[in-house]
Amino acid sequence: MTAPLPSGAGVAALDRAGLEDWLARRGEARFRASQIVRWLYARGVATYDEMTDLPAALRGALAEELPLTPLVLEHRAVSRIDDTRRYLWRLADGATVESVGLPAGDRLTVCFSTQAGCAMGCSFCATGQGGLSRDLGPGEMAEQVRRVGEDFGRRVTNAVAMGQGEPFANYDATLGALRLMNDPDGLGIGARHLTVSTCGIVAGIERFAAEPEQFTLAVSLHSAVQETRDRLMPGVRTQTVSRLRAALASYAAATGRRPSVEFALIAGVNDTPAEVDALVRFCTGLLVHVNLIPVNPVPGADATRPDAAARVRDALVGAGVEATVRAERGVDIEAACGQLTQRHAAGEA
Ligand code: SAH
Ligand code: SF4
């Protein structure tokens, strides 16, 4: 399911544990990992030469074996409406990914990508239309978050794996990235403020429930009717609605935390009375919060926006299900969920 990282990904292919292993193999002290993580993700240096508290021999070995290649900013768009910012980065091997920065009051949330492209093929999603190029390494994810914070000149308070890619199809690297973001030597973001959004890979949800940190989970449901979901999200046909519901119940029982259920409303497809009834049945008895998102139109995808968000919310709340309509951000720069593509790279925009 996962595509290998290119060997040229260098230090960005490693999480802290990987860095500690590399250091241990060279007989270096463990505290060197703290120093390196601090230089990379708290201070953000572009070369090993700037890591002045490391011995020169170690700096030389790092440069040779774990090259440090900063993300190259290819494109940046700033919303005139709400200062939402969208970024297209070029990675060391030429692959491109996007991130979004969402300022709101004293919070700055960064939406980061976990893969270049995505193999899941969801019909309403721009990323899904292009297929998977490759997995990202932990450092490539943490670095997106750091760079967006740097661009805003503010501390990042929240990060969500809701950019391109399916995080649980790249589980280990995503967890390594969350840990670099959570690490006091790294970005220092509280675990509860780090969220993974999955299209519903059950084994990933089960693993995530058992992680020691209190990371937050979001699950993209989009329909509680199996046939509708199969059409919208062909990549997760085997992760049936009933298995998904059971996984969410176990997750809540194991963690005591409330996951969110993402539901992009598509007129005439998943906003009908039968669909809303199925959604109510899915949520009843589960500890969840439903986020209703009017679907963002994507060229080539057959999805139109319903005016039904408030109606569906009222139906859910009336049935005792916690639900809100998610505020739209950055509409003038197409920064919303599902609109991230690699088309800037292809020179089409
Ligand atoms: N692959 C993961 C995370 C990235 S997608 C997942 O699917 O959850 C982030 C969110 O954007 C998901 O909830 C996804 O379903 C949603 N999304 C994708 N395309 C969208 C669109 N056109 N309009 C609204 N939401 C969309
Ligand atoms: Fe992949 Fe998520 Fe898009 Fe589906 S919605 S194609 S899982 S990025």
Side-chain angles (χ1 to χ4, degrees):
M1 199 171 228
T2 55
L5 271 180
S7 54
V11 73
L14 299 184
D15 57 10
R16 187 186 174 115
L19 201 52
E20 283 171 358
D21 287 347
W22 185 87
L23 288 162
R25 280 199 302 278
R26 293 183 46 86
E28 296 282 352
R30 208 180 153 88
F31 75 91
R32 297 288 181 209
S34 297
Q35 291 178 308
I36 297 168
V37 167
R38 239 178 277 144
W39 282 115
L40 289 174
Y41 302 108
R43 300 187 184 122
V45 295
T47 65
Y48 286 115
D49 283 341
E50 291 163 77
M51 302 188 182
T52 47
D53 53 5
L54 298 186
L58 177 56
R59 279 187 264 152
L62 283 162
E64 194 161 311
E65 290 186 30
L66 299 174
L68 203 178
T69 13
L71 304 179
V72 176
L73 180 62
E74 287 276 301
H75 184 82
R76 173 178 175 273
V78 179
S79 167
R80 275 184 228 150
I81 304 167
D82 55 21
D83 199 29
T84 293
R85 301 183 194 177
R86 171 178 177 158
Y87 307 79
L88 178 78
W89 310 106
R90 183 172 293 280
L91 309 172
D93 65 341
T96 55
V97 292
E98 293 195 56
S99 321
V100 178
L102 302 130
D106 54 8
R107 284 191 317 180
L108 174 59
T109 301
V110 178
C111 174
F112 64 95
S113 295
T114 56
Q115 298 181 305
C118 183
M120 296 300 162
C122 300
S123 64
F124 47 85
C125 173
T127 304
Q129 292 175 359
L132 176 67
S133 303
R134 71 161 168 94
D135 286 338
L136 299 196
E140 290 173 320
M141 298 180 213
E143 187 60 4
Q144 293 171 53
V145 176
R146 190 192 70 73
R147 291 282 293 276
V148 174
E150 187 177 78
D151 184 55
F152 276 89
R154 286 174 59 177
R155 201 178 84 76
V156 176
T157 58
N158 299 68
V160 295
M162 279 197 190
Q164 288 157 312
E166 166 47 42
F168 287 167
N170 185 18
Y171 188 95
D172 292 331
T174 299
L175 258 285
L178 295 180
R179 293 192 169 123
L180 287 171
M181 294 175 202
N182 182 225
D183 196 329
D185 290 324
L187 289 159
I189 304 171
R192 286 164 190 264
H193 297 152
L194 295 169
T195 302
V196 168
S197 174
T198 177
C199 60
I201 296 177
V202 167
I205 297 172
E206 289 166 355
R207 273 182 81 182
F208 201 59
E211 300 294 352
E213 297 91 348
Q214 302 213 310
F215 298 132
T216 298
L217 176 69
V219 172
S220 301
L221 182 65
H222 306 315
S223 177
V225 175
Q226 190 64 54
E227 304 76 62
T228 312
R229 195 164 194 268
D230 287 349
R231 252 184 293 129
L232 293 176
M233 307 177 73
V236 281
R237 272 171 196 271
T238 55
Q239 319 288 297
T240 59
V241 170
S242 62
R243 284 181 65 206
L244 187 53
R245 190 179 185 287
L248 284 172
S250 312
Y251 176 90
T255 65
R257 297 196 295 278
R258 183 188 296 267
S260 35
V261 165
E262 310 293 306
F263 203 94
L265 288 161
I266 308 171
V269 174
N270 62 3
D271 68 338
T272 62
E275 288 279 339
V276 176
D277 281 352
L279 178 58
V280 167
R281 278 197 305 280
F282 182 92
C283 296
T284 300
L286 276 187
L287 182 69
V288 289
H289 177 100
V290 179
N291 261 326
L292 298 164
I293 312 142
V295 75
N296 295 297
V298 163
D302 182 19
T304 50
R305 294 157 66 86
D307 300 317
R311 170 175 58 77
V312 175
R313 180 201 55 214
D314 292 347
L316 289 169
V317 171
V321 176
E322 204 182 275
T324 44
V325 178
R326 189 195 282 165
E328 292 185 76
R329 301 291 308 269
V331 280
D332 54 333
I333 55 163
E334 297 186 349
C337 274
Q339 293 189 314
L340 306 185
T341 67
Q342 296 174 286
R343 69 198 157 109
H344 290 288
E348 291 166 24

